[in-house]
Structures are given as C-alpha cells and as structure tokens.
Amino acid sequence: MNGLLFLIPVALGLGLLGLVAFLWSLTSGQYEDVEGAALRILEDEPPLNE
C-alpha cells in the first residue's frame, strides 16, 4: 500500500510531463509539414564534388 502512495504521484507527473511535451511540439510547428520530410528523402541531389 505504501508503494502506491509513491507510484501514483510519479505516474501522474510523468503523464503531465508527456502532455506538456506534446503541447510544446504542437505549438513549435513539429507537425506542420509531415509529408515534406517523407518526400525530401526521395529527391536526388547532385554530389557536392561535381
């Protein structure tokens, strides 16, 4: 029973930390160009030495 008194606040704190990180990623524009990164990997770029 004493373990639950420690684990419940830790679990709530980690959940709150995850929520804050998710909200930060939304406000900083992490999800604005989801398809752009997937398409940029397919583009051929000329080598730098040519």
Side-chain angles (χ1 to χ4, degrees), residues 22-30 32:
F22 176 69
L23 292 175
W24 172 79
S25 69
L26 282 179
T27 58
S28 66
Q30 296 287 322
E32 288 182 359

Side-chain angles (χ1 to χ4, degrees), residues 4-19:
L4 289 177
L5 294 175
F6 173 72
L7 291 176
I8 289 174
V10 169
L12 290 175
L14 289 175
L16 182 64
L17 182 66
L19 179 65

